[in-house]
Amino acid sequence: MADSRERIRGPARDGREFLTSPRQVLRRLMLLSEGRQYREAAGVVGRLGPSVLRSVVAELPIDLLLEHLPHSAYLLESFYSRLITVNPSPKLDVPTESIVWQLVRLFSNPHDTNIKQRCSKLIQSLVQYEPNLRHTIRDTRKSFNNAVQGLGSHGLTTDASGQLISLHSALKTELQRHVDTYKMALHKLEELSMITVKPDPAQSSHQRLLAISYGDIQQRLIDNKTLLTILDKPALKQLTSLIENLSQRVENDKEVLKCVGQLKRVDLQANVEKRPAAGLLMNFARGCEIILNVMGNEIVSNSKTPIVTTIANGLNSPNGSNSSYSDGYHSDDSTNEDIGSMVTQYRSLYLENRSDTLESLDSMPQLKHVHNLKAKILFSIIVLSFRLCHGMRERKVLEVRRTLYCPLDSTNEITLALDRSVRNYLHETIETFPLGEIERTVFNQVLSTLHEYPCLDSCPSLTHYVSNCVRLAWKMVNQKVPYYLDTDFNLGFLRPEKHDRHLQSDRRSDLIKAFLWPALMQNNRCVFKAIVAT
């Protein structure tokens, strides 16, 4: 019997057997969500395969997760990150817009000061999965702003004398003036006997008109001029503009009601009947603005610029492919050449200088078994270099202001022109500007933090690496369009638009374990992706 039990005993369970069944995965996710264990639920999502993910997304009650935003943002972000990574074909129909409008509602009346930080990754995942969302939100924000402006068009208008009165009063006065004028014109027409009950067509024939005498022409001119004098008055011409004003007000109110109706569908608890419409629209427009800022600028490729190869890991080629081994960026445009030169130097600093310095640190007996520490040292040096160089640039601008007795908070044109001149000088002297102070600060901070490793003080490669980092950082922060580092170093899921795996990383996992090299940004655009270990 014991042998029989051994034969029929199933394989040992490791706690992950539910990942093969969509129904059990869904049940597990709902249990974790009910307990607000969203990070644990996100870990479950991160292990789902394409087929199971497709089934779970199709049956997932998104409405329940929307009700718990921003707390459920981490779980929703994990779903979209997984969808982006798996890239199922055909693309799954996920209620992305519902999530976005729920976020807009939250940002329109923020009760949580950290809501932007908690939802930023979710927003970026949404726009990456559905790029058209940016245009939808931008158009909605524009319509809300236009509706608010339309509410201000219902003010006073001017009458024929130039006085300010209400539109309805102006229309009443103008219509009464028209009625009186038309009555006079009708009376004059009767006096002139210009209207007959049954006009004779022969009287208006071409031959009869050519045979009319001088006296008849003179009398006809007098009659028509008299009638024109009655009808063609400047005061009567205001009716058209008043009608156009009335028509515009009708269209504006239609737009307001349309926008408020959209808000009612998004926020069932908005109580739009009792709240001012302008306040509602302005709040939601502000929410759209915050969402757009978190999404960042849209990267538009210029097809007229010949891109032979792409630099580093962060620049996309025209066909959308990425390359980690490209040699540079070639363009006929001088600005693009400058961008290519800067990013190529940043890439070389990672691939060459960092690698050489890491080898030198590996050769030190005290650091032989602390590989993670060595990587963190080199990562901290480049981050600290950018931070100190940016501070030095701003400090030099303020020093010039103090020397010339300019108020530090002045915003007049002369002071701003002075600031531009100082920044231009720093840009022109980036190759020769003395940076010894920053280099010593960076090096001393590393030594003071790691005082238990005195061998770092006698490492020439590390000193050379610090010097290269500081010089390159100084060049980049003093460009016409400055470069800066993406300082979002929170460990989470890998984002393909900002992160690249290290060659020795686990390709099966999307969880970031450590940052090896920071992402380089310019104008909210990633020009070199961060190197991460997964």
Side-chain angles (χ1 to χ4, degrees):
M1 289 296 293
D3 294 340
S4 299
R5 285 195 299 270
E6 289 295 332
R7 285 196 299 270
I8 65 175
R9 183 178 298 165
R13 295 175 178 264
D14 60 356
R16 297 188 181 184
E17 69 281 353
F18 65 91
L19 295 178
T20 60
S21 171
R23 181 175 299 177
Q24 291 179 336
V25 171
L26 191 61
R27 184 183 305 165
R28 177 65 174 164
L29 290 177
M30 296 312 301
L31 288 174
L32 291 173
S33 298
E34 289 176 2
R36 294 201 171 188
Q37 298 176 347
Y38 296 112
R39 290 186 178 272
E40 290 78 359
V44 174
V45 174
R47 299 195 300 268
L48 297 181
S51 59
V52 178
L53 180 65
R54 182 186 297 273
S55 301
V56 170
V57 169
E59 300 180 12
L60 186 70
I62 295 292
D63 294 342
L64 296 179
L65 297 180
L66 291 181
E67 293 177 1
H68 292 92
L69 278 172
H71 307 291
S72 60
Y74 198 86
L75 176 56
L76 289 171
E77 188 267 334
S78 67
F79 266 109
Y80 280 94
S81 296
R82 191 61 182 161
L83 287 172
I84 294 170
T85 303
V86 173
N87 192 20
S89 181
K91 194 173 184 179
L92 297 183
D93 185 15
V94 189
T96 307
E97 286 197 14
S98 300
I99 300 175
V100 167
W101 293 125
Q102 182 71 3
L103 291 171
V104 170
R105 185 186 70 82
L106 292 176
F107 281 116
S108 64
N109 294 290
H111 301 292
D112 186 355
T113 56
N114 296 324
I115 185 173
K116 184 175 180 180
Q117 181 179 358
R118 299 172 69 177
C119 298
S120 59
K121 291 185 178 180
L122 171 59
I123 295 171
Q124 293 168 2
S125 297
L126 291 172
V127 73
Q128 184 180 357
Y129 186 76
E130 195 66 53
N132 291 332
L133 278 179
R134 182 183 283 105
H135 302 288
T136 302
I137 297 176
R138 187 181 293 119
D139 293 341
T140 303
R141 179 196 60 178
K142 183 178 179 180
S143 64
F144 285 176
N145 289 333
N146 291 340
V148 173
Q149 292 179 2
L151 287 172
S153 66
H154 291 260
L156 299 178
T157 186
T158 56
D159 61 3
S161 62
Q163 295 181 348
L164 291 174
I165 59 175
S166 68
L167 177 62
H168 290 177
S169 298
L171 280 170
K172 180 180 179 181
T173 302
E174 187 66 18
L175 289 173
Q176 187 62 49
R177 186 181 294 112
H178 275 256
V179 169
D180 295 341
T181 302
Y182 295 154
K183 286 182 178 179
M184 291 176 58
L186 288 172
H187 182 68
K188 191 65 177 178
L189 288 172
E190 291 178 357
E191 288 182 356
L192 298 175
S193 300
M194 298 179 66
I195 300 178
T196 58
V197 179
K198 294 182 179 180
D200 185 5
Q203 297 294 327
S204 300
S205 64
H206 187 65
Q207 291 81 1
R208 182 62 61 88
L209 293 176
L210 294 179
I212 194 171
S213 64
Y214 174 81
D216 292 336
I217 295 175
Q218 191 176 31
Q219 185 60 44
R220 185 176 64 187
L221 174 61
I222 294 173
D223 294 343
N224 287 337
K225 180 62 177 175
T226 302
L227 187 61
L228 180 62
T229 302
I230 297 175
L231 294 175
D232 190 19
K233 292 182 178 180
L236 296 179
K237 296 181 180 180
Q238 192 184 13
L239 182 62
T240 302
S241 62
L242 292 176
I243 293 176
E244 291 177 354
N245 191 343
L246 182 64
S247 175
Q248 186 62 45
R249 293 187 180 193
V250 170
E251 295 301 321
N252 289 340
D253 282 346
K254 285 183 179 179
E255 185 65 23
V256 171
L257 294 180
K258 175 183 175 182
C259 293
V260 173
Q262 184 177 355
L263 298 188
K264 290 175 63 177
R265 292 189 294 272
V266 173
D267 188 0
L268 300 178
Q269 302 176 351
N271 196 14
V272 297
E273 287 78 9
K274 296 182 179 180
R275 294 178 59 185
L280 281 171
L281 295 175
M282 292 172 67
N283 286 342
F284 271 78
R286 183 175 64 248
C288 292
E289 182 70 27
I290 295 174
I291 295 288
L292 289 172
N293 290 337
V294 175
M295 286 181 176
N297 293 335
E298 186 176 12
I299 301 175
V300 181
S301 61
N302 185 1
S303 59
K304 296 181 180 180
T305 303
I307 302 178
V308 179
T309 55
T310 57
I311 19 173
N313 303 314
L315 287 178
N316 293 327
S317 62
N319 59 8
S321 62
N322 292 336
S323 174
S324 301
Y325 305 97
S326 58
D327 297 327
Y329 178 91
H330 303 278
S331 169
D332 294 334
D333 187 88
S334 59
T335 302
N336 289 332
E337 289 178 358
D338 293 339
I339 294 175
S341 175
M342 288 288 100
V343 182
T344 300
Q345 293 181 53
Y346 187 75
R347 176 176 180 268
S348 298
L349 187 65
Y350 167 70
L351 293 178
E352 299 175 9
N353 296 76
R354 179 184 178 278
S355 299
D356 294 341
T357 308
L358 196 58
E359 289 181 3
S360 298
L361 296 178
D362 286 337
S363 63
M364 294 183 174
Q366 290 180 297
L367 302 174
K368 187 174 182 180
H369 302 292
V370 286
H371 183 75
N372 290 337
L373 176 62
K374 290 176 285 188
K376 290 180 180 179
I377 292 173
L378 302 182
F379 179 82
S380 301
I381 288 174
I382 184 64
V383 174
L384 186 58
S385 298
F386 267 85
R387 185 181 304 163
L388 293 179
C389 286
H390 180 271
M392 170 73 82
R393 184 193 65 181
E394 298 304 314
R395 190 163 61 251
K396 292 301 179 184
V397 173
L398 293 178
E399 286 177 0
V400 173
R401 280 195 177 193
R402 290 192 187 97
T403 303
L404 299 178
Y405 301 101
C406 294
L408 298 183
D409 58 347
S410 176
T411 57
N412 61 60
E413 186 58 34
I414 297 177
T415 305
L416 296 178
L418 176 63
D419 291 351
R420 288 193 294 269
S421 299
V422 175
R423 296 180 193 279
N424 185 60
Y425 173 80
L426 295 177
H427 171 70
E428 296 296 332
T429 60
I430 54 176
E431 297 290 348
T432 58
F433 193 88
L435 299 173
E437 177 186 349
I438 299 180
E439 293 176 10
R440 287 189 296 271
T441 302
V442 173
F443 198 72
N444 290 336
Q445 187 160 341
V446 172
L447 295 179
S448 61
T449 304
L450 302 172
H451 55 84
E452 65 271 25
Y453 298 101
C455 58
L456 295 174
D457 193 11
S458 58
C459 180
S461 296
L462 185 62
T463 305
H464 184 64
Y465 173 75
V466 170
S467 178
N468 288 337
C469 287
V470 171
R471 177 58 64 181
L472 182 58
W474 181 253
K475 289 181 181 180
M476 289 188 156
V477 300
N478 284 290
Q479 293 298 310
K480 297 294 185 181
V481 182
Y483 293 86
Y484 56 93
L485 298 183
D486 179 16
T487 56
D488 181 12
F489 302 134
N490 295 321
L491 301 181
F493 285 98
L494 183 140
R495 301 177 59 82
E497 76 279 7
K498 291 175 57 177
H499 304 140
D500 260 348
R501 284 187 179 91
H502 189 262
L503 295 177
Q504 298 179 356
S505 294
D506 182 4
R507 297 282 172 178
R508 298 170 297 178
S509 174
D510 290 333
L511 289 175
I512 298 176
K513 296 179 180 178
F515 279 83
L516 304 180
W517 196 250
L520 185 65
M521 309 291 291
Q522 186 186 46
N523 269 347
N524 292 326
R525 184 170 66 97
C526 181
V527 295
F528 189 96
K529 297 181 184 179
I531 309 300
V532 298
T534 58

